[in-house]
Amino acid sequence: MTTLRSIPLALLRMNYRLLRIPLQLIEQVAESRLEEHDRSRLTYEGFLVQCDRTAATHLGDTVAAERAEELRRHILATQMTVAWQQRRFEQRREAEAAGRTAQWEERQRHKERLRAAKVVPLFEHIDPPSP
């Protein structure tokens, strides 16, 4: 049953859906030109989530609520992927640094062993005879 209150809400929902068209176009351009983990793209997608949540809450727009939830899940998955990649990069960098440190320490121990053994070079520098 249609009530007087439901007519203005239906008009507002229709207006929001019309307003959402250019926002959707901007999102599609961002998807095609920006990487998925780009900060500006994630910020814009967050803005769209807030717009859709507001429309869902105040206008009772179930389509906007579903769209907001789907986009929110996408943002969270992207953020988790980025965090995972950053952690892997940090672990790799730490492992490489530890490897370099271990090599340096081994060289230092080797030098100390040579000094302690008083090892002489195989070929000593010999000055040529003077004329």
Side-chain angles (χ1 to χ4, degrees):
M1 175 175 194
T2 304
T3 64
L4 285 177
R5 186 166 193 266
S6 66
I7 293 173
L9 283 179
L11 289 173
L12 286 173
R13 274 194 295 274
M14 185 180 70
N15 285 334
Y16 176 72
R17 289 179 182 157
L18 289 173
L19 171 69
R20 187 70 165 75
I21 292 171
L23 297 176
Q24 185 67 32
L25 290 174
I26 294 170
E27 182 183 16
Q28 289 171 352
V29 169
E31 284 178 359
S32 67
R33 299 194 180 192
L34 297 175
E35 292 187 27
E36 189 172 23
H37 60 275
D38 189 278
R39 186 174 297 248
S40 57
R41 178 177 168 177
L42 291 173
T43 302
Y44 183 72
E45 288 175 345
F47 166 74
L48 291 178
V49 167
Q50 290 302 319
C51 289
D52 286 342
R53 280 185 178 165
T54 302
T57 301
H58 297 292
L59 304 177
D61 192 339
T62 57
V63 174
E66 291 168 3
R67 196 169 42 229
E69 184 57 26
E70 180 183 331
L71 194 53
R72 185 191 67 80
R73 276 194 234 112
H74 169 74
I75 292 169
L76 288 176
T78 301
Q79 290 171 335
M80 292 293 288
T81 301
V82 168
W84 181 74
Q85 289 172 343
Q86 286 175 341
R87 182 64 189 137
R88 277 187 47 208
F89 176 76
E90 290 170 7
Q91 288 173 335
R92 192 175 322 130
R93 192 176 63 201
E94 290 169 3
E96 289 170 357
R100 285 191 302 273
T101 300
Q103 287 176 343
W104 181 83
E105 289 171 348
E106 181 56 36
R107 282 193 303 272
Q108 296 306 312
R109 284 191 296 273
H110 181 69
K111 287 179 184 178
E112 286 300 317
R113 285 191 302 266
L114 290 177
R115 279 190 211 113
K118 297 183 182 179
V119 174
V120 291
L122 291 176
F123 301 102
E124 292 187 33
H125 178 69
I126 301 173
D127 291 327
S130 41

